[in-house]
Amino acid sequence: MMAHWTLDDIPWDRFDRAKVDPEILRIVKAASLVEQNGGDYARYLCGVFADDPLFKEAATRWGNEEIQHGQALGRWAALADPAFDHAAACARFSAGFRVDLDATASVRGSRARELVARCIVETGTSSYYTALADATDEPVLKAICKRIAADELRHYKLFLMHLERYLAVEGLGFWGRLRVALGRIRESEDDELAFAYHAANEVIGVYDRGRSNRAYARRAYSVYRKHHIERGIAMVLKAVGLTPNGRLNRVATNVSWWFMRQRIARLEREAA
Ligand SMILES: [Fe+2]
Ligand SMILES: [Fe+2]
């Protein structure tokens, strides 16, 4: 394991208020809640992998790193918006979105499937924070996102390593892996991120999943550039056992990029 950073390594004194983009601030607030929830996910993973001490140790360390991502982003959001109360927002989020802490089997159906899903999540976060680091001109947020992106890539490699171990045990084939991967990608449009956006930004009125999802997606998708998508697709292809950087990547990248641009244009027209 590489040496990990702490909150003290972040150059907080370089914070530049003039460079805070209010739209990015909204999605950073949402991300700070989802990351903070990593502790609950670690507990869930320790239940699923109850007789695997090697994995449990790694999952516990992983969960602590995710919590730290939440703390760094939350602290930055409070610098940018002193009215933002990270702890209170976390409490609002946890009250409405709960991970099954007492699970003894993966909600994905098996341990190998669970690990495929974890690889997809880390692919998503790794490309998202790389894109955010590139999109923001605010020096402190840039420094935080670069560190987080490096962690997420390391997390992806960690879960991929354990996936290879469990693939040998379970014999989960290509189609099984692909199905889990596509299912997990689709879920990114589910409740977790939309509700985090709602809870973090104190959206007035009751939670409207569709509206929050569109508001979140419009801002989050806008930070991506095509090369971020290309890299994410390479990681997904590798997780399902395909060549990461071949012709398939080029096709999938072009198709995904086109759909993403269409989606952003539609969301902008709707003023989501
Ligand atoms: Fe994270
Ligand atoms: Fe991660």
Side-chain angles (χ1 to χ4, degrees), residues 61-80:
R61 201 162 43 221
W62 162 84
N64 290 335
E65 292 182 6
E66 300 296 9
I67 291 169
Q68 186 178 292
H69 296 169
Q71 286 169 345
L73 294 167
R75 188 162 155 188
W76 182 83
L79 262 183

Side-chain angles (χ1 to χ4, degrees), residues 32-48:
S32 76
L33 307 192
V34 178
E35 294 284 345
Q36 192 79 26
N37 225 21
D40 279 359
Y41 271 103
R43 216 177 114 183
Y44 157 79
L45 286 175
C46 285
V48 171

Side-chain angles (χ1 to χ4, degrees), residues 156-226:
Y156 168 85
K157 289 176 179 166
L158 170 78
F159 290 125
L160 192 66
M161 181 182 82
H162 287 281
L163 169 64
E164 271 150 23
R165 201 156 61 83
Y166 275 97
L167 279 179
V169 179
E170 288 180 18
L172 178 66
F174 165 71
W175 293 108
R177 288 162 85 175
L178 185 66
R179 197 158 54 215
V180 177
L182 293 176
R184 189 60 192 82
I185 291 168
R186 260 199 309 275
E187 271 173 43
S188 66
E189 296 261 338
D190 279 4
D191 254 349
E192 187 174 22
L193 298 171
F195 186 63
Y197 185 85
H198 173 87
N201 291 288
E202 291 189 87
V203 181
I204 307 298
V206 287
Y207 172 50
D208 178 335
R209 175 167 152 182
R211 196 180 59 196
S212 289
N213 181 33
R214 288 191 297 277
Y216 175 78
R218 177 186 165 191
R219 290 161 181 87
Y221 289 177
S222 298
V223 301
Y224 285 94
R225 295 295 166 261
K226 196 174 177 184

Side-chain angles (χ1 to χ4, degrees), residues 35 62 66 69 122 125 151-152 155:
E35 294 284 345
W62 162 84
E66 300 296 9
H69 296 169
E122 300 295 345
T125 53
D151 284 351
E152 311 295 20
H155 294 164

